Amino acid sequence: GWQQHPAIDLLQAGLEVEVLRHSERAEPLLQRLLALPLTDDLYGSARLLQVIVSFHFDQISAVSEQLPQLPVLPKPLWAGFRLVEAGQLMLTGALPQARNQLEWVIGWADCQYQFHTKLAACYRLAQLYFFQGDWELCRKSAQLALQVAATQGMTEDPLLDSTYRLLAEIALQQGALDEASHWLAHDPHRQTNEDRYHKLPWQALRCIQQVWQGALQDLPEQLARLEQQRYSQQFCRLWQFRTGYTLALGYQQCGRPEALQRLLQR
């Protein structure tokens, strides 16, 4: 029950966000939990998790408002706070400040043996370098994340999904199609027809790969499915933009000016 076991309820909300990647299921759990009288540590953890949910929903303005309103957090939560703050700084263009935060988190995680936290910070740092267009440092940070996972027996960590995808995207940006194929083979959603939130960017990358390879036979069908899925869920603006770029590139390659016009109108 909620009133008897708030710590278990908080753990369930954290599981939905960090492991199962279902922030939409964590949101009502946290709202109900925060309506209860809680200890300071539980209250701080629930509030921080609430900010992380806002970040996953791409509500960056809300994150910017919520971060300064957080209560004083116990030391074990400092790294989580700095991770989400670094993400907020990165997506608002403050890349040097975000990099400083992420480097602090990596150093802290090493000292505390918090390897999942280090993995998250390495991935976020790789994403930052991707935004800067520094492919070498992006690949180096992503490979460090993979090294941490391999060394610590964390090869099933869900964060690796994003890391493999980022490495595939770097390879496609550089025209390294064999390398891209290697990383795209790690797609955990490849064998499923289920429409999952994290399946969209993988599908977009596969369409780009088809365009570069000139494999256009079933590309129109793939593009149609991708365009339909683009707005079928609450995808963040970054994924919507990248998917739109993929669609435009694919429709141009297929000679579909009417489809390009439809994209512009939407």
Side-chain angles (χ1 to χ4, degrees):
W2 283 89
Q3 301 198 2
Q4 288 80 13
H5 305 289
I8 295 177
D9 300 325
L10 180 64
L11 180 62
Q12 181 183 351
L15 181 69
E16 296 287 1
V17 174
E18 295 295 336
V19 178
L20 300 178
R21 294 295 192 261
H22 284 301
S23 292
E24 74 283 357
R25 295 204 302 233
E27 193 172 32
L29 292 174
L30 290 168
Q31 289 174 351
R32 291 168 59 184
L33 185 60
L34 286 167
L36 300 174
L38 301 172
T39 64
D40 290 345
D41 284 358
L42 284 177
Y43 179 73
S45 298
R47 285 289 305 277
L48 177 59
L49 197 55
Q50 196 175 42
V51 177
I52 293 172
V53 168
S54 295
F55 180 78
H56 287 180
F57 280 148
D58 196 37
Q59 298 167 348
I60 304 305
S61 58
V63 172
S64 301
E65 293 175 4
Q66 292 168 346
L67 281 173
Q69 297 173 5
L70 286 176
V72 177
L73 298 172
K75 285 186 178 181
L77 298 182
W78 287 1
F81 171 85
R82 292 206 179 194
L83 264 177
V84 72
E85 185 177 44
Q88 180 260 340
L89 289 168
M90 185 172 63
L91 293 179
T92 53
L95 299 184
Q97 296 94 316
R99 186 174 62 250
N100 289 339
Q101 294 282 51
L102 292 170
E103 289 172 349
W104 181 93
V105 172
I106 290 172
W108 177 91
D110 268 333
C111 293
Q112 301 295 320
Y113 304 104
Q114 297 292 326
F115 299 111
H116 174 78
T117 300
K118 182 177 180 179
L119 178 61
C122 289
Y123 164 71
R124 194 66 69 190
L125 190 60
Q127 191 179 38
L128 183 149
Y129 288 129
F130 182 86
F131 289 168
Q132 288 183 327
D134 192 328
W135 310 132
E136 182 179 351
L137 285 177
C138 178
R139 181 179 281 106
K140 183 178 178 180
S141 296
Q143 292 283 6
L144 179 58
L146 296 185
Q147 181 183 340
V148 171
T151 303
Q152 301 304 323
M154 300 164 58
T155 54
E156 299 300 318
D157 193 296
L159 268 174
L160 293 180
D161 179 6
S162 300
T163 308
Y164 291 135
R165 193 173 63 236
L166 185 58
L167 284 164
E169 195 159 3
I170 299 168
L172 286 171
Q173 290 282 351
Q174 296 184 302
L177 295 182
D178 289 342
E179 183 184 347
S181 296
H182 168 74
W183 296 118
L184 287 170
H186 290 78
D187 176 5
H189 318 291
R190 189 172 36 155
Q191 304 299 331
T192 67
N193 294 319
E194 191 177 341
D195 291 341
R196 295 183 181 179
Y197 183 78
H198 288 264
K199 190 174 180 179
L200 182 80
W202 284 100
Q203 289 177 321
L205 290 177
R206 287 193 176 280
C207 284
I208 292 179
Q209 182 189 36
Q210 285 182 257
V211 170
W212 290 159
Q213 290 176 328
L216 307 182
Q217 184 174 0
D218 64 341
L219 185 60
E221 179 184 342
Q222 299 280 355
L223 293 171
R225 184 159 58 248
L226 194 62
E227 185 170 1
Q228 181 182 11
Q229 292 174 346
R230 184 186 180 198
Y231 292 103
S232 65
Q233 298 184 44
Q234 188 181 1
F235 293 115
C236 73
R237 291 190 302 271
L238 186 62
W239 284 2
Q240 288 185 0
F241 172 80
R242 289 187 182 177
T243 305
Y245 166 77
T246 300
L247 290 168
L249 186 67
Y251 286 139
Q252 181 183 38
Q253 196 75 10
C254 294
R256 296 278 306 280
E258 76 288 353
L260 281 172
Q261 186 62 33
R262 184 175 66 247
L263 280 180
L264 289 173
Q265 291 173 349
R266 295 191 73 173

mmCIF file of all heavy atoms in Angstrom, residues 106 115-116 118-126 138-152 154-155 157 159-160 162-164 166-167:
data_model
loop_
_atom_site.group_PDB
_atom_site.id
_atom_site.type_symbol
_atom_site.label_atom_id
_atom_site.label_comp_id
_atom_site.label_asym_id
_atom_site.label_seq_id
_atom_site.Cartn_x
_atom_site.Cartn_y
_atom_site.Cartn_z
ATOM 1 N N ILE A 106 31.461 11.629 -13.713
ATOM 2 C CA ILE A 106 32.303 10.481 -14.041
ATOM 3 C C ILE A 106 33.351 10.270 -12.949
ATOM 4 O O ILE A 106 33.588 9.142 -12.492
ATOM 5 C CB ILE A 106 32.967 10.674 -15.414
ATOM 6 C CG1 ILE A 106 31.906 10.583 -16.525
ATOM 7 C CG2 ILE A 106 34.061 9.630 -15.650
ATOM 8 C CD1 ILE A 106 32.409 10.945 -17.908
ATOM 9 N N PHE A 115 28.828 2.334 -11.117
ATOM 10 C CA PHE A 115 29.165 2.141 -12.522
ATOM 11 C C PHE A 115 27.999 2.440 -13.466
ATOM 12 O O PHE A 115 28.214 2.858 -14.604
ATOM 13 C CB PHE A 115 29.706 0.728 -12.723
ATOM 14 C CG PHE A 115 30.945 0.471 -11.924
ATOM 15 C CD1 PHE A 115 30.933 -0.413 -10.848
ATOM 16 C CD2 PHE A 115 32.116 1.142 -12.217
ATOM 17 C CE1 PHE A 115 32.082 -0.630 -10.098
ATOM 18 C CE2 PHE A 115 33.266 0.927 -11.469
ATOM 19 C CZ PHE A 115 33.249 0.046 -10.406
ATOM 20 N N HIS A 116 26.770 2.225 -13.021
ATOM 21 C CA HIS A 116 25.646 2.607 -13.871
ATOM 22 C C HIS A 116 25.622 4.125 -14.064
ATOM 23 O O HIS A 116 25.363 4.623 -15.169
ATOM 24 C CB HIS A 116 24.323 2.145 -13.252
ATOM 25 C CG HIS A 116 23.111 2.640 -14.000
ATOM 26 N ND1 HIS A 116 22.665 2.066 -15.172
ATOM 27 C CD2 HIS A 116 22.275 3.692 -13.758
ATOM 28 C CE1 HIS A 116 21.607 2.718 -15.604
ATOM 29 N NE2 HIS A 116 21.353 3.706 -14.774
ATOM 30 N N LYS A 118 28.246 6.079 -13.959
ATOM 31 C CA LYS A 118 29.344 6.399 -14.872
ATOM 32 C C LYS A 118 28.947 6.108 -16.314
ATOM 33 O O LYS A 118 29.244 6.895 -17.227
ATOM 34 C CB LYS A 118 30.587 5.598 -14.499
ATOM 35 C CG LYS A 118 31.790 5.924 -15.384
ATOM 36 C CD LYS A 118 33.036 5.168 -14.952
ATOM 37 C CE LYS A 118 34.219 5.528 -15.857
ATOM 38 N NZ LYS A 118 35.463 4.834 -15.456
ATOM 39 N N LEU A 119 28.270 4.996 -16.529
ATOM 40 C CA LEU A 119 27.807 4.643 -17.868
ATOM 41 C C LEU A 119 26.877 5.718 -18.418
ATOM 42 O O LEU A 119 27.004 6.151 -19.572
ATOM 43 C CB LEU A 119 27.089 3.291 -17.816
ATOM 44 C CG LEU A 119 26.475 2.750 -19.109
ATOM 45 C CD1 LEU A 119 27.552 2.544 -20.162
ATOM 46 C CD2 LEU A 119 25.746 1.439 -18.833
ATOM 47 N N ALA A 120 25.945 6.195 -17.580
ATOM 48 C CA ALA A 120 25.013 7.239 -18.011
ATOM 49 C C ALA A 120 25.744 8.526 -18.357
ATOM 50 O O ALA A 120 25.437 9.191 -19.355
ATOM 51 C CB ALA A 120 23.979 7.494 -16.912
ATOM 52 N N ALA A 121 26.733 8.894 -17.542
ATOM 53 C CA ALA A 121 27.472 10.139 -17.782
ATOM 54 C C ALA A 121 28.321 10.033 -19.046
ATOM 55 O O ALA A 121 28.437 11.006 -19.807
ATOM 56 C CB ALA A 121 28.341 10.467 -16.573
ATOM 57 N N CYS A 122 28.925 8.867 -19.284
ATOM 58 C CA CYS A 122 29.727 8.678 -20.498
ATOM 59 C C CYS A 122 28.853 8.791 -21.745
ATOM 60 O O CYS A 122 29.252 9.405 -22.751
ATOM 61 C CB CYS A 122 30.430 7.325 -20.465
ATOM 62 S SG CYS A 122 31.774 7.209 -19.276
ATOM 63 N N TYR A 123 27.660 8.194 -21.682
ATOM 64 C CA TYR A 123 26.757 8.301 -22.832
ATOM 65 C C TYR A 123 26.345 9.748 -23.067
ATOM 66 O O TYR A 123 26.352 10.239 -24.202
ATOM 67 C CB TYR A 123 25.501 7.441 -22.627
ATOM 68 C CG TYR A 123 24.407 7.840 -23.590
ATOM 69 C CD1 TYR A 123 24.504 7.550 -24.944
ATOM 70 C CD2 TYR A 123 23.298 8.566 -23.144
ATOM 71 C CE1 TYR A 123 23.535 7.954 -25.840
ATOM 72 C CE2 TYR A 123 22.318 8.976 -24.032
ATOM 73 C CZ TYR A 123 22.436 8.671 -25.380
ATOM 74 O OH TYR A 123 21.478 9.084 -26.256
ATOM 75 N N ARG A 124 25.994 10.452 -21.987
ATOM 76 C CA ARG A 124 25.561 11.847 -22.127
ATOM 77 C C ARG A 124 26.699 12.711 -22.662
ATOM 78 O O ARG A 124 26.478 13.617 -23.474
ATOM 79 C CB ARG A 124 25.072 12.359 -20.782
ATOM 80 C CG ARG A 124 24.309 13.649 -20.841
ATOM 81 C CD ARG A 124 23.011 13.532 -21.568
ATOM 82 N NE ARG A 124 22.036 12.746 -20.859
ATOM 83 C CZ ARG A 124 20.886 12.331 -21.368
ATOM 84 N NH1 ARG A 124 20.596 12.621 -22.631
ATOM 85 N NH2 ARG A 124 20.050 11.612 -20.676
ATOM 86 N N LEU A 125 27.937 12.423 -22.240
ATOM 87 C CA LEU A 125 29.084 13.166 -22.744
ATOM 88 C C LEU A 125 29.294 12.881 -24.232
ATOM 89 O O LEU A 125 29.615 13.791 -25.011
ATOM 90 C CB LEU A 125 30.337 12.794 -21.943
ATOM 91 C CG LEU A 125 31.591 13.639 -22.169
ATOM 92 C CD1 LEU A 125 31.343 15.106 -21.822
ATOM 93 C CD2 LEU A 125 32.753 13.107 -21.337
ATOM 94 N N ALA A 126 29.102 11.632 -24.632
ATOM 95 C CA ALA A 126 29.188 11.298 -26.058
ATOM 96 C C ALA A 126 28.133 12.058 -26.849
ATOM 97 O O ALA A 126 28.403 12.569 -27.946
ATOM 98 C CB ALA A 126 29.025 9.788 -26.251
ATOM 99 N N CYS A 138 33.214 11.955 -29.573
ATOM 100 C CA CYS A 138 31.922 11.288 -29.389
ATOM 101 C C CYS A 138 32.126 9.778 -29.362
ATOM 102 O O CYS A 138 31.630 9.081 -28.463
ATOM 103 C CB CYS A 138 30.969 11.693 -30.507
ATOM 104 S SG CYS A 138 29.358 10.880 -30.415
ATOM 105 N N ARG A 139 32.859 9.262 -30.334
ATOM 106 C CA ARG A 139 33.107 7.820 -30.391
ATOM 107 C C ARG A 139 33.915 7.367 -29.171
ATOM 108 O O ARG A 139 33.640 6.309 -28.594
ATOM 109 C CB ARG A 139 33.848 7.468 -31.681
ATOM 110 C CG ARG A 139 34.119 5.974 -31.831
ATOM 111 C CD ARG A 139 34.835 5.644 -33.123
ATOM 112 N NE ARG A 139 33.915 5.635 -34.259
ATOM 113 C CZ ARG A 139 33.856 6.579 -35.178
ATOM 114 N NH1 ARG A 139 34.657 7.635 -35.092
ATOM 115 N NH2 ARG A 139 33.014 6.499 -36.185
ATOM 116 N N LYS A 140 34.894 8.161 -28.756
ATOM 117 C CA LYS A 140 35.725 7.805 -27.608
ATOM 118 C C LYS A 140 34.890 7.688 -26.337
ATOM 119 O O LYS A 140 35.041 6.728 -25.560
ATOM 120 C CB LYS A 140 36.824 8.857 -27.424
ATOM 121 C CG LYS A 140 37.792 8.561 -26.295
ATOM 122 C CD LYS A 140 38.876 9.635 -26.214
ATOM 123 C CE LYS A 140 39.825 9.369 -25.054
ATOM 124 N NZ LYS A 140 40.883 10.420 -24.959
ATOM 125 N N SER A 141 33.980 8.633 -26.115
ATOM 126 C CA SER A 141 33.138 8.597 -24.916
ATOM 127 C C SER A 141 32.153 7.437 -24.962
ATOM 128 O O SER A 141 31.908 6.770 -23.950
ATOM 129 C CB SER A 141 32.380 9.924 -24.763
ATOM 130 O OG SER A 141 33.277 10.985 -24.559
ATOM 131 N N ALA A 142 31.585 7.170 -26.150
ATOM 132 C CA ALA A 142 30.661 6.045 -26.289
ATOM 133 C C ALA A 142 31.382 4.720 -26.071
ATOM 134 O O ALA A 142 30.850 3.804 -25.423
ATOM 135 C CB ALA A 142 30.001 6.077 -27.663
ATOM 136 N N GLN A 143 32.598 4.604 -26.596
ATOM 137 C CA GLN A 143 33.367 3.374 -26.402
ATOM 138 C C GLN A 143 33.740 3.183 -24.934
ATOM 139 O O GLN A 143 33.796 2.052 -24.439
ATOM 140 C CB GLN A 143 34.640 3.411 -27.261
ATOM 141 C CG GLN A 143 34.396 3.350 -28.765
ATOM 142 C CD GLN A 143 34.054 1.946 -29.240
ATOM 143 O OE1 GLN A 143 33.893 1.022 -28.452
ATOM 144 N NE2 GLN A 143 33.926 1.788 -30.556
ATOM 145 N N LEU A 144 33.979 4.304 -24.219
ATOM 146 C CA LEU A 144 34.248 4.211 -22.783
ATOM 147 C C LEU A 144 33.029 3.650 -22.056
ATOM 148 O O LEU A 144 33.162 2.830 -21.134
ATOM 149 C CB LEU A 144 34.619 5.583 -22.221
ATOM 150 C CG LEU A 144 34.895 5.641 -20.711
ATOM 151 C CD1 LEU A 144 36.017 4.684 -20.321
ATOM 152 C CD2 LEU A 144 35.225 7.071 -20.282
ATOM 153 N N ALA A 145 31.829 4.073 -22.476
ATOM 154 C CA ALA A 145 30.603 3.539 -21.879
ATOM 155 C C ALA A 145 30.523 2.027 -22.096
ATOM 156 O O ALA A 145 30.191 1.268 -21.175
ATOM 157 C CB ALA A 145 29.381 4.234 -22.474
ATOM 158 N N LEU A 146 30.846 1.571 -23.310
ATOM 159 C CA LEU A 146 30.817 0.134 -23.593
ATOM 160 C C LEU A 146 31.867 -0.612 -22.770
ATOM 161 O O LEU A 146 31.631 -1.727 -22.303
ATOM 162 C CB LEU A 146 31.058 -0.115 -25.087
ATOM 163 C CG LEU A 146 30.022 0.424 -26.062
ATOM 164 C CD1 LEU A 146 30.370 -0.016 -27.482
ATOM 165 C CD2 LEU A 146 28.621 -0.014 -25.693
ATOM 166 N N GLN A 147 33.021 0.024 -22.583
ATOM 167 C CA GLN A 147 34.081 -0.602 -21.789
ATOM 168 C C GLN A 147 33.659 -0.767 -20.335
ATOM 169 O O GLN A 147 33.894 -1.812 -19.720
ATOM 170 C CB GLN A 147 35.348 0.249 -21.878
ATOM 171 C CG GLN A 147 36.527 -0.311 -21.108
ATOM 172 C CD GLN A 147 37.734 0.610 -21.177
ATOM 173 O OE1 GLN A 147 37.843 1.459 -22.053
ATOM 174 N NE2 GLN A 147 38.648 0.443 -20.227
ATOM 175 N N VAL A 148 33.019 0.271 -19.787
ATOM 176 C CA VAL A 148 32.519 0.191 -18.408
ATOM 177 C C VAL A 148 31.522 -0.957 -18.282
ATOM 178 O O VAL A 148 31.580 -1.761 -17.347
ATOM 179 C CB VAL A 148 31.861 1.521 -17.995
ATOM 180 C CG1 VAL A 148 31.144 1.385 -16.652
ATOM 181 C CG2 VAL A 148 32.896 2.630 -17.912
ATOM 182 N N ALA A 149 30.599 -1.043 -19.241
ATOM 183 C CA ALA A 149 29.578 -2.093 -19.193
ATOM 184 C C ALA A 149 30.204 -3.486 -19.280
ATOM 185 O O ALA A 149 29.813 -4.400 -18.546
ATOM 186 C CB ALA A 149 28.575 -1.887 -20.329
ATOM 187 N N ALA A 150 31.178 -3.649 -20.169
ATOM 188 C CA ALA A 150 31.811 -4.958 -20.333
ATOM 189 C C ALA A 150 32.613 -5.347 -19.096
ATOM 190 O O ALA A 150 32.551 -6.491 -18.632
ATOM 191 C CB ALA A 150 32.714 -4.941 -21.566
ATOM 192 N N THR A 151 33.351 -4.395 -18.538
ATOM 193 C CA THR A 151 34.207 -4.676 -17.380
ATOM 194 C C THR A 151 33.391 -5.023 -16.148
ATOM 195 O O THR A 151 33.768 -5.883 -15.342
ATOM 196 C CB THR A 151 35.107 -3.468 -17.078
ATOM 197 O OG1 THR A 151 35.877 -3.143 -18.248
ATOM 198 C CG2 THR A 151 36.051 -3.758 -15.921
ATOM 199 N N GLN A 152 32.235 -4.358 -15.984
ATOM 200 C CA GLN A 152 31.433 -4.520 -14.771
ATOM 201 C C GLN A 152 30.275 -5.499 -14.942
ATOM 202 O O GLN A 152 29.410 -5.594 -14.078
ATOM 203 C CB GLN A 152 30.885 -3.147 -14.335
ATOM 204 C CG GLN A 152 31.957 -2.114 -14.055
ATOM 205 C CD GLN A 152 32.958 -2.574 -13.018
ATOM 206 O OE1 GLN A 152 32.590 -3.252 -12.044
ATOM 207 N NE2 GLN A 152 34.222 -2.206 -13.186
ATOM 208 N N MET A 154 27.769 -5.437 -17.129
ATOM 209 C CA MET A 154 26.517 -4.689 -17.294
ATOM 210 C C MET A 154 26.078 -4.665 -18.755
ATOM 211 O O MET A 154 25.511 -3.697 -19.236
ATOM 212 C CB MET A 154 26.714 -3.249 -16.788
ATOM 213 C CG MET A 154 27.092 -3.157 -15.328
ATOM 214 S SD MET A 154 27.756 -1.518 -14.886
ATOM 215 C CE MET A 154 26.407 -0.452 -15.361
ATOM 216 N N THR A 155 26.339 -5.752 -19.464
ATOM 217 C CA THR A 155 26.063 -5.768 -20.905
ATOM 218 C C THR A 155 24.574 -5.753 -21.235
ATOM 219 O O THR A 155 24.201 -5.570 -22.392
ATOM 220 C CB THR A 155 26.713 -6.988 -21.564
ATOM 221 O OG1 THR A 155 26.281 -8.178 -20.881
ATOM 222 C CG2 THR A 155 28.233 -6.900 -21.481
ATOM 223 N N ASP A 157 22.537 -3.634 -19.570
ATOM 224 C CA ASP A 157 22.048 -2.345 -19.094
ATOM 225 C C ASP A 157 21.276 -1.649 -20.216
ATOM 226 O O ASP A 157 21.758 -1.545 -21.345
ATOM 227 C CB ASP A 157 23.219 -1.469 -18.639
ATOM 228 C CG ASP A 157 22.770 -0.256 -17.845
ATOM 229 O OD1 ASP A 157 22.075 0.601 -18.428
ATOM 230 O OD2 ASP A 157 23.100 -0.166 -16.651
ATOM 231 N N LEU A 159 20.826 1.337 -20.907
ATOM 232 C CA LEU A 159 21.498 2.504 -21.474
ATOM 233 C C LEU A 159 22.320 2.158 -22.715
ATOM 234 O O LEU A 159 22.595 3.024 -23.547
ATOM 235 C CB LEU A 159 22.413 3.134 -20.422
ATOM 236 C CG LEU A 159 21.819 4.248 -19.567
ATOM 237 C CD1 LEU A 159 22.789 4.655 -18.485
ATOM 238 C CD2 LEU A 159 21.430 5.440 -20.422
ATOM 239 N N LEU A 160 22.709 0.906 -22.842
ATOM 240 C CA LEU A 160 23.512 0.516 -23.998
ATOM 241 C C LEU A 160 22.720 0.630 -25.293
ATOM 242 O O LEU A 160 23.300 0.810 -26.362
ATOM 243 C CB LEU A 160 24.038 -0.907 -23.818
ATOM 244 C CG LEU A 160 25.063 -1.097 -22.693
ATOM 245 C CD1 LEU A 160 25.509 -2.542 -22.616
ATOM 246 C CD2 LEU A 160 26.258 -0.174 -22.880
ATOM 247 N N SER A 162 20.878 3.128 -26.211
ATOM 248 C CA SER A 162 21.166 4.470 -26.719
ATOM 249 C C SER A 162 22.609 4.591 -27.186
ATOM 250 O O SER A 162 22.899 5.286 -28.169
ATOM 251 C CB SER A 162 20.888 5.509 -25.624
ATOM 252 O OG SER A 162 19.539 5.459 -25.219
ATOM 253 N N THR A 163 23.531 3.913 -26.501
ATOM 254 C CA THR A 163 24.946 4.005 -26.858
ATOM 255 C C THR A 163 25.217 3.362 -28.215
ATOM 256 O O THR A 163 25.910 3.941 -29.062
ATOM 257 C CB THR A 163 25.816 3.341 -25.774
ATOM 258 O OG1 THR A 163 25.469 3.876 -24.491
ATOM 259 C CG2 THR A 163 27.290 3.605 -26.032
ATOM 260 N N TYR A 164 24.677 2.175 -28.448
ATOM 261 C CA TYR A 164 24.842 1.523 -29.753
ATOM 262 C C TYR A 164 24.234 2.380 -30.864
ATOM 263 O O TYR A 164 24.795 2.504 -31.956
ATOM 264 C CB TYR A 164 24.168 0.151 -29.754
ATOM 265 C CG TYR A 164 24.839 -0.876 -28.885
ATOM 266 C CD1 TYR A 164 24.097 -1.692 -28.035
ATOM 267 C CD2 TYR A 164 26.213 -1.056 -28.913
ATOM 268 C CE1 TYR A 164 24.704 -2.653 -27.231
ATOM 269 C CE2 TYR A 164 26.839 -2.013 -28.121
ATOM 270 C CZ TYR A 164 26.067 -2.803 -27.282
ATOM 271 O OH TYR A 164 26.678 -3.753 -26.493
ATOM 272 N N LEU A 166 23.856 5.601 -30.918
ATOM 273 C CA LEU A 166 24.688 6.770 -31.166
ATOM 274 C C LEU A 166 25.912 6.397 -32.006
ATOM 275 O O LEU A 166 26.300 7.130 -32.927
ATOM 276 C CB LEU A 166 25.126 7.386 -29.836
ATOM 277 C CG LEU A 166 25.908 8.703 -29.912
ATOM 278 C CD1 LEU A 166 25.088 9.771 -30.630
ATOM 279 C CD2 LEU A 166 26.280 9.176 -28.511
ATOM 280 N N LEU A 167 26.518 5.253 -31.720
ATOM 281 C CA LEU A 167 27.663 4.809 -32.510
ATOM 282 C C LEU A 167 27.257 4.528 -33.964
ATOM 283 O O LEU A 167 28.016 4.832 -34.892
ATOM 284 C CB LEU A 167 28.269 3.559 -31.880
ATOM 285 C CG LEU A 167 29.106 3.814 -30.615
ATOM 286 C CD1 LEU A 167 29.346 2.511 -29.846
ATOM 287 C CD2 LEU A 167 30.434 4.465 -30.970
#
